[in-house]
mmCIF file of all heavy atoms in Angstrom:
data_model
loop_
_atom_site.group_PDB
_atom_site.id
_atom_site.type_symbol
_atom_site.label_atom_id
_atom_site.label_comp_id
_atom_site.label_asym_id
_atom_site.label_seq_id
_atom_site.Cartn_x
_atom_site.Cartn_y
_atom_site.Cartn_z
ATOM 1 N N PHE A 1 5.308 15.446 -11.346
ATOM 2 C CA PHE A 1 6.235 16.476 -11.793
ATOM 3 C C PHE A 1 6.288 17.675 -10.839
ATOM 4 O O PHE A 1 6.783 18.723 -11.182
ATOM 5 C CB PHE A 1 5.840 16.953 -13.196
ATOM 6 C CG PHE A 1 5.974 15.870 -14.221
ATOM 7 C CD1 PHE A 1 4.861 15.161 -14.648
ATOM 8 C CD2 PHE A 1 7.216 15.532 -14.748
ATOM 9 C CE1 PHE A 1 4.992 14.156 -15.590
ATOM 10 C CE2 PHE A 1 7.337 14.531 -15.682
ATOM 11 C CZ PHE A 1 6.222 13.833 -16.106
ATOM 12 N N CYS A 2 5.711 17.523 -9.648
ATOM 13 C CA CYS A 2 5.851 18.551 -8.636
ATOM 14 C C CYS A 2 5.745 17.882 -7.285
ATOM 15 O O CYS A 2 5.494 16.692 -7.189
ATOM 16 C CB CYS A 2 4.784 19.638 -8.803
ATOM 17 S SG CYS A 2 3.165 19.145 -8.197
ATOM 18 N N ASP A 3 5.946 18.644 -6.231
ATOM 19 C CA ASP A 3 5.969 18.064 -4.891
ATOM 20 C C ASP A 3 4.634 18.169 -4.181
ATOM 21 O O ASP A 3 4.530 17.777 -3.016
ATOM 22 C CB ASP A 3 7.045 18.754 -4.040
ATOM 23 C CG ASP A 3 8.447 18.345 -4.483
ATOM 24 O OD1 ASP A 3 8.571 17.241 -5.018
ATOM 25 O OD2 ASP A 3 9.375 19.141 -4.303
ATOM 26 N N ARG A 4 3.608 18.726 -4.826
ATOM 27 C CA ARG A 4 2.312 18.847 -4.162
ATOM 28 C C ARG A 4 1.626 17.488 -4.185
ATOM 29 O O ARG A 4 1.243 16.982 -5.230
ATOM 30 C CB ARG A 4 1.451 19.890 -4.874
ATOM 31 C CG ARG A 4 0.144 20.163 -4.150
ATOM 32 C CD ARG A 4 -0.575 21.376 -4.728
ATOM 33 N NE ARG A 4 -1.877 21.515 -4.083
ATOM 34 C CZ ARG A 4 -3.031 21.425 -4.742
ATOM 35 N NH1 ARG A 4 -3.040 21.217 -6.026
ATOM 36 N NH2 ARG A 4 -4.165 21.561 -4.090
ATOM 37 N N HIS A 5 1.489 16.898 -3.013
ATOM 38 C CA HIS A 5 0.934 15.555 -2.958
ATOM 39 C C HIS A 5 0.188 15.358 -1.646
ATOM 40 O O HIS A 5 0.286 16.161 -0.718
ATOM 41 C CB HIS A 5 2.048 14.505 -3.083
ATOM 42 C CG HIS A 5 3.030 14.542 -1.965
ATOM 43 N ND1 HIS A 5 4.147 15.357 -1.989
ATOM 44 C CD2 HIS A 5 3.058 13.890 -0.770
ATOM 45 C CE1 HIS A 5 4.833 15.199 -0.879
ATOM 46 N NE2 HIS A 5 4.194 14.317 -0.104
ATOM 47 N N VAL A 6 -0.588 14.278 -1.622
ATOM 48 C CA VAL A 6 -1.287 13.878 -0.396
ATOM 49 C C VAL A 6 -0.972 12.425 -0.129
ATOM 50 O O VAL A 6 -0.607 11.672 -1.043
ATOM 51 C CB VAL A 6 -2.809 14.074 -0.521
ATOM 52 C CG1 VAL A 6 -3.155 15.530 -0.717
ATOM 53 C CG2 VAL A 6 -3.369 13.232 -1.675
ATOM 54 N N TYR A 7 -1.112 12.035 1.116
ATOM 55 C CA TYR A 7 -1.006 10.617 1.440
ATOM 56 C C TYR A 7 -2.401 10.024 1.335
ATOM 57 O O TYR A 7 -3.311 10.402 2.072
ATOM 58 C CB TYR A 7 -0.405 10.426 2.827
ATOM 59 C CG TYR A 7 1.088 10.627 2.818
ATOM 60 C CD1 TYR A 7 1.651 11.845 3.168
ATOM 61 C CD2 TYR A 7 1.928 9.604 2.403
ATOM 62 C CE1 TYR A 7 3.020 12.045 3.121
ATOM 63 C CE2 TYR A 7 3.304 9.794 2.346
ATOM 64 C CZ TYR A 7 3.838 11.014 2.709
ATOM 65 O OH TYR A 7 5.183 11.199 2.646
ATOM 66 N N ALA A 8 -2.573 9.127 0.398
ATOM 67 C CA ALA A 8 -3.905 8.641 0.037
ATOM 68 C C ALA A 8 -4.265 7.391 0.822
ATOM 69 O O ALA A 8 -3.403 6.573 1.159
ATOM 70 C CB ALA A 8 -3.955 8.339 -1.465
ATOM 71 N N GLY A 9 -5.555 7.259 1.071
ATOM 72 C CA GLY A 9 -6.059 6.057 1.716
ATOM 73 C C GLY A 9 -6.777 5.179 0.718
ATOM 74 O O GLY A 9 -7.265 5.651 -0.317
ATOM 75 N N ARG A 10 -6.839 3.902 1.003
ATOM 76 C CA ARG A 10 -7.549 2.960 0.132
ATOM 77 C C ARG A 10 -8.984 3.449 -0.093
ATOM 78 O O ARG A 10 -9.615 4.006 0.796
ATOM 79 C CB ARG A 10 -7.554 1.575 0.789
ATOM 80 C CG ARG A 10 -8.160 0.477 -0.074
ATOM 81 C CD ARG A 10 -8.131 -0.881 0.631
ATOM 82 N NE ARG A 10 -8.994 -0.908 1.802
ATOM 83 C CZ ARG A 10 -8.573 -1.102 3.038
ATOM 84 N NH1 ARG A 10 -7.276 -1.256 3.295
ATOM 85 N NH2 ARG A 10 -9.419 -1.109 4.060
ATOM 86 N N THR A 11 -9.491 3.240 -1.296
ATOM 87 C CA THR A 11 -10.848 3.662 -1.605
ATOM 88 C C THR A 11 -11.833 3.173 -0.558
ATOM 89 O O THR A 11 -11.759 2.030 -0.093
ATOM 90 C CB THR A 11 -11.295 3.164 -2.999
ATOM 91 O OG1 THR A 11 -12.692 3.477 -3.177
ATOM 92 C CG2 THR A 11 -11.098 1.667 -3.159
ATOM 93 N N ARG A 12 -12.752 4.031 -0.187
ATOM 94 C CA ARG A 12 -13.748 3.692 0.833
ATOM 95 C C ARG A 12 -14.653 2.543 0.393
ATOM 96 O O ARG A 12 -15.339 1.942 1.217
ATOM 97 C CB ARG A 12 -14.609 4.914 1.141
ATOM 98 C CG ARG A 12 -15.547 5.331 0.017
ATOM 99 C CD ARG A 12 -16.215 6.660 0.274
ATOM 100 N NE ARG A 12 -15.256 7.755 0.146
ATOM 101 C CZ ARG A 12 -15.607 9.041 0.270
ATOM 102 N NH1 ARG A 12 -16.856 9.360 0.551
ATOM 103 N NH2 ARG A 12 -14.700 9.982 0.122
ATOM 104 N N PHE A 13 -14.654 2.229 -0.910
ATOM 105 C CA PHE A 13 -15.522 1.163 -1.411
ATOM 106 C C PHE A 13 -14.975 -0.229 -1.101
ATOM 107 O O PHE A 13 -15.657 -1.231 -1.321
ATOM 108 C CB PHE A 13 -15.740 1.320 -2.915
ATOM 109 C CG PHE A 13 -16.310 2.661 -3.294
ATOM 110 C CD1 PHE A 13 -15.796 3.373 -4.371
ATOM 111 C CD2 PHE A 13 -17.351 3.221 -2.570
ATOM 112 C CE1 PHE A 13 -16.310 4.614 -4.713
ATOM 113 C CE2 PHE A 13 -17.878 4.460 -2.902
ATOM 114 C CZ PHE A 13 -17.350 5.161 -3.979
ATOM 115 N N ILE A 14 -13.723 -0.296 -0.637
ATOM 116 C CA ILE A 14 -13.151 -1.574 -0.203
ATOM 117 C C ILE A 14 -12.842 -1.431 1.290
ATOM 118 O O ILE A 14 -11.727 -1.096 1.700
ATOM 119 C CB ILE A 14 -11.891 -1.935 -1.002
ATOM 120 C CG1 ILE A 14 -12.214 -2.002 -2.499
ATOM 121 C CG2 ILE A 14 -11.326 -3.280 -0.539
ATOM 122 C CD1 ILE A 14 -11.026 -2.312 -3.381
ATOM 123 N N ALA A 15 -13.871 -1.646 2.081
ATOM 124 C CA ALA A 15 -13.738 -1.511 3.529
ATOM 125 C C ALA A 15 -12.953 -2.688 4.097
ATOM 126 O O ALA A 15 -12.706 -3.691 3.408
ATOM 127 C CB ALA A 15 -15.128 -1.434 4.170
ATOM 128 N N ASN A 16 -12.571 -2.569 5.346
ATOM 129 C CA ASN A 16 -11.794 -3.635 5.991
ATOM 130 C C ASN A 16 -12.503 -4.981 5.924
ATOM 131 O O ASN A 16 -11.864 -6.028 5.790
ATOM 132 C CB ASN A 16 -11.512 -3.272 7.452
ATOM 133 C CG ASN A 16 -10.504 -2.140 7.571
ATOM 134 O OD1 ASN A 16 -9.737 -1.882 6.643
ATOM 135 N ND2 ASN A 16 -10.514 -1.458 8.704
ATOM 136 N N ALA A 17 -13.836 -4.964 6.018
ATOM 137 C CA ALA A 17 -14.595 -6.209 6.009
ATOM 138 C C ALA A 17 -14.468 -6.954 4.683
ATOM 139 O O ALA A 17 -14.765 -8.157 4.618
ATOM 140 C CB ALA A 17 -16.067 -5.923 6.309
ATOM 141 N N LEU A 18 -14.038 -6.258 3.624
ATOM 142 C CA LEU A 18 -13.939 -6.882 2.299
ATOM 143 C C LEU A 18 -12.545 -7.413 2.013
ATOM 144 O O LEU A 18 -12.329 -8.067 0.983
ATOM 145 C CB LEU A 18 -14.312 -5.877 1.201
ATOM 146 C CG LEU A 18 -15.798 -5.697 0.860
ATOM 147 C CD1 LEU A 18 -16.581 -5.233 2.058
ATOM 148 C CD2 LEU A 18 -15.960 -4.723 -0.309
ATOM 149 N N LEU A 19 -11.597 -7.163 2.878
ATOM 150 C CA LEU A 19 -10.201 -7.488 2.571
ATOM 151 C C LEU A 19 -9.965 -8.983 2.406
ATOM 152 O O LEU A 19 -9.000 -9.383 1.733
ATOM 153 C CB LEU A 19 -9.288 -6.930 3.659
ATOM 154 C CG LEU A 19 -9.210 -5.399 3.727
ATOM 155 C CD1 LEU A 19 -8.281 -4.960 4.851
ATOM 156 C CD2 LEU A 19 -8.746 -4.820 2.387
ATOM 157 N N ALA A 20 -10.810 -9.813 2.994
ATOM 158 C CA ALA A 20 -10.644 -11.262 2.850
ATOM 159 C C ALA A 20 -10.794 -11.711 1.402
ATOM 160 O O ALA A 20 -10.330 -12.802 1.031
ATOM 161 C CB ALA A 20 -11.651 -11.989 3.736
ATOM 162 N N HIS A 21 -11.420 -10.887 0.575
ATOM 163 C CA HIS A 21 -11.633 -11.245 -0.834
ATOM 164 C C HIS A 21 -10.463 -10.816 -1.714
ATOM 165 O O HIS A 21 -10.503 -11.018 -2.938
ATOM 166 C CB HIS A 21 -12.928 -10.607 -1.355
ATOM 167 C CG HIS A 21 -14.170 -11.133 -0.700
ATOM 168 N ND1 HIS A 21 -14.744 -12.328 -1.054
ATOM 169 C CD2 HIS A 21 -14.914 -10.629 0.317
ATOM 170 C CE1 HIS A 21 -15.812 -12.531 -0.310
ATOM 171 N NE2 HIS A 21 -15.941 -11.520 0.533
ATOM 172 N N PHE A 22 -9.438 -10.220 -1.113
ATOM 173 C CA PHE A 22 -8.302 -9.714 -1.882
ATOM 174 C C PHE A 22 -6.998 -10.267 -1.315
ATOM 175 O O PHE A 22 -6.904 -10.608 -0.139
ATOM 176 C CB PHE A 22 -8.247 -8.183 -1.831
ATOM 177 C CG PHE A 22 -9.412 -7.485 -2.469
ATOM 178 C CD1 PHE A 22 -10.566 -7.228 -1.735
ATOM 179 C CD2 PHE A 22 -9.369 -7.098 -3.791
ATOM 180 C CE1 PHE A 22 -11.647 -6.583 -2.310
ATOM 181 C CE2 PHE A 22 -10.444 -6.448 -4.382
ATOM 182 C CZ PHE A 22 -11.586 -6.197 -3.637
ATOM 183 N N GLU A 23 -5.997 -10.326 -2.175
ATOM 184 C CA GLU A 23 -4.633 -10.588 -1.741
ATOM 185 C C GLU A 23 -3.920 -9.247 -1.648
ATOM 186 O O GLU A 23 -3.916 -8.481 -2.612
ATOM 187 C CB GLU A 23 -3.914 -11.497 -2.735
ATOM 188 C CG GLU A 23 -2.449 -11.739 -2.390
ATOM 189 C CD GLU A 23 -1.706 -12.503 -3.468
ATOM 190 O OE1 GLU A 23 -2.355 -12.972 -4.433
ATOM 191 O OE2 GLU A 23 -0.460 -12.602 -3.368
ATOM 192 N N GLN A 24 -3.341 -8.952 -0.497
ATOM 193 C CA GLN A 24 -2.669 -7.680 -0.300
ATOM 194 C C GLN A 24 -1.163 -7.855 -0.428
ATOM 195 O O GLN A 24 -0.579 -8.714 0.228
ATOM 196 C CB GLN A 24 -3.007 -7.111 1.081
ATOM 197 C CG GLN A 24 -4.494 -6.866 1.294
ATOM 198 C CD GLN A 24 -4.771 -6.279 2.658
ATOM 199 O OE1 GLN A 24 -4.443 -5.114 2.910
ATOM 200 N NE2 GLN A 24 -5.368 -7.057 3.540
ATOM 201 N N ILE A 25 -0.556 -7.042 -1.290
ATOM 202 C CA ILE A 25 0.896 -7.104 -1.452
ATOM 203 C C ILE A 25 1.458 -5.695 -1.470
ATOM 204 O O ILE A 25 0.744 -4.721 -1.747
ATOM 205 C CB ILE A 25 1.308 -7.842 -2.746
ATOM 206 C CG1 ILE A 25 0.828 -7.089 -3.988
ATOM 207 C CG2 ILE A 25 0.766 -9.270 -2.761
ATOM 208 C CD1 ILE A 25 1.329 -7.688 -5.287
ATOM 209 N N SER A 26 2.730 -5.576 -1.142
ATOM 210 C CA SER A 26 3.437 -4.303 -1.225
ATOM 211 C C SER A 26 4.549 -4.439 -2.254
ATOM 212 O O SER A 26 5.164 -5.503 -2.384
ATOM 213 C CB SER A 26 4.036 -3.921 0.134
ATOM 214 O OG SER A 26 3.018 -3.684 1.092
ATOM 215 N N TRP A 27 4.813 -3.347 -2.988
ATOM 216 C CA TRP A 27 5.864 -3.375 -4.006
ATOM 217 C C TRP A 27 6.640 -2.065 -3.934
ATOM 218 O O TRP A 27 6.040 -0.988 -3.818
ATOM 219 C CB TRP A 27 5.253 -3.560 -5.389
ATOM 220 C CG TRP A 27 6.275 -3.848 -6.441
ATOM 221 C CD1 TRP A 27 6.703 -5.070 -6.857
ATOM 222 C CD2 TRP A 27 6.990 -2.878 -7.211
ATOM 223 N NE1 TRP A 27 7.644 -4.922 -7.827
ATOM 224 C CE2 TRP A 27 7.857 -3.590 -8.072
ATOM 225 C CE3 TRP A 27 7.008 -1.483 -7.245
ATOM 226 C CZ2 TRP A 27 8.700 -2.956 -8.955
ATOM 227 C CZ3 TRP A 27 7.865 -0.841 -8.124
ATOM 228 C CH2 TRP A 27 8.694 -1.584 -8.972
ATOM 229 N N PRO A 28 7.946 -2.128 -4.008
ATOM 230 C CA PRO A 28 8.745 -3.359 -4.017
ATOM 231 C C PRO A 28 8.713 -4.024 -2.647
ATOM 232 O O PRO A 28 8.454 -3.363 -1.642
ATOM 233 C CB PRO A 28 10.152 -2.865 -4.362
ATOM 234 C CG PRO A 28 10.167 -1.442 -3.899
ATOM 235 C CD PRO A 28 8.781 -0.922 -4.093
ATOM 236 N N PRO A 29 8.963 -5.320 -2.607
ATOM 237 C CA PRO A 29 8.953 -6.012 -1.316
ATOM 238 C C PRO A 29 10.027 -5.445 -0.405
ATOM 239 O O PRO A 29 11.062 -4.951 -0.886
ATOM 240 C CB PRO A 29 9.223 -7.472 -1.686
ATOM 241 C CG PRO A 29 9.878 -7.416 -3.022
ATOM 242 C CD PRO A 29 9.304 -6.219 -3.721
ATOM 243 N N PRO A 30 9.806 -5.487 0.906
ATOM 244 C CA PRO A 30 10.811 -4.942 1.833
ATOM 245 C C PRO A 30 12.123 -5.694 1.706
ATOM 246 O O PRO A 30 12.139 -6.898 1.428
ATOM 247 C CB PRO A 30 10.168 -5.157 3.209
ATOM 248 C CG PRO A 30 9.160 -6.247 3.004
ATOM 249 C CD PRO A 30 8.657 -6.085 1.601
ATOM 250 N N PRO A 31 13.256 -5.017 1.876
ATOM 251 C CA PRO A 31 14.563 -5.684 1.758
ATOM 252 C C PRO A 31 14.739 -6.713 2.866
ATOM 253 O O PRO A 31 14.181 -6.592 3.952
ATOM 254 C CB PRO A 31 15.560 -4.530 1.911
ATOM 255 C CG PRO A 31 14.802 -3.473 2.665
ATOM 256 C CD PRO A 31 13.378 -3.598 2.226
ATOM 257 N N ALA A 32 15.518 -7.727 2.555
ATOM 258 C CA ALA A 32 15.774 -8.773 3.541
ATOM 259 C C ALA A 32 16.540 -8.192 4.720
ATOM 260 O O ALA A 32 17.364 -7.283 4.570
ATOM 261 C CB ALA A 32 16.560 -9.911 2.902
ATOM 262 N N ALA A 33 16.257 -8.719 5.891
ATOM 263 C CA ALA A 33 16.947 -8.243 7.100
ATOM 264 C C ALA A 33 18.436 -8.531 6.973
ATOM 265 O O ALA A 33 18.846 -9.598 6.489
ATOM 266 C CB ALA A 33 16.376 -8.939 8.331
ATOM 267 N N PRO A 34 19.324 -7.596 7.380
ATOM 268 C CA PRO A 34 20.776 -7.816 7.257
ATOM 269 C C PRO A 34 21.240 -8.950 8.159
ATOM 270 O O PRO A 34 20.704 -9.173 9.245
ATOM 271 C CB PRO A 34 21.365 -6.478 7.709
ATOM 272 C CG PRO A 34 20.293 -5.863 8.571
ATOM 273 C CD PRO A 34 18.993 -6.312 7.982
ATOM 274 N N THR A 35 22.253 -9.669 7.698
ATOM 275 C CA THR A 35 22.819 -10.769 8.493
ATOM 276 C C THR A 35 23.562 -10.208 9.697
ATOM 277 O O THR A 35 24.347 -9.255 9.575
ATOM 278 C CB THR A 35 23.785 -11.605 7.628
ATOM 279 O OG1 THR A 35 23.092 -12.048 6.470
ATOM 280 C CG2 THR A 35 24.314 -12.787 8.417
ATOM 281 N N ALA A 36 23.283 -10.778 10.847
ATOM 282 C CA ALA A 36 23.911 -10.275 12.080
ATOM 283 C C ALA A 36 25.423 -10.430 12.007
ATOM 284 O O ALA A 36 25.948 -11.459 11.578
ATOM 285 C CB ALA A 36 23.358 -11.035 13.290
ATOM 286 N N ASN A 37 26.134 -9.401 12.425
ATOM 287 C CA ASN A 37 27.599 -9.413 12.445
ATOM 288 C C ASN A 37 28.056 -9.498 13.904
ATOM 289 O O ASN A 37 27.847 -8.554 14.683
ATOM 290 C CB ASN A 37 28.143 -8.147 11.799
ATOM 291 C CG ASN A 37 29.661 -8.121 11.748
ATOM 292 O OD1 ASN A 37 30.329 -8.996 12.312
ATOM 293 N ND2 ASN A 37 30.205 -7.114 11.070
#
């Protein structure tokens, strides 16, 4: 409800070495590339 915000990083408890144990997804998924004209 206001504009005061920070850009947050993933919790330090899930280091890069642990990422193999997780599935990483982004939401919403990126839009499909436009068809070349």
Side-chain angles (χ1 to χ4, degrees):
F1 295 100
C2 77
D3 288 333
R4 186 170 175 243
H5 63 272
V6 297
Y7 283 96
R10 185 180 66 242
T11 173
R12 69 189 72 177
F13 303 135
I14 302 178
N16 289 339
L18 276 60
L19 293 180
H21 294 280
F22 296 87
E23 176 187 353
Q24 300 181 71
I25 64 174
S26 295
W27 191 92
T35 305
N37 182 353

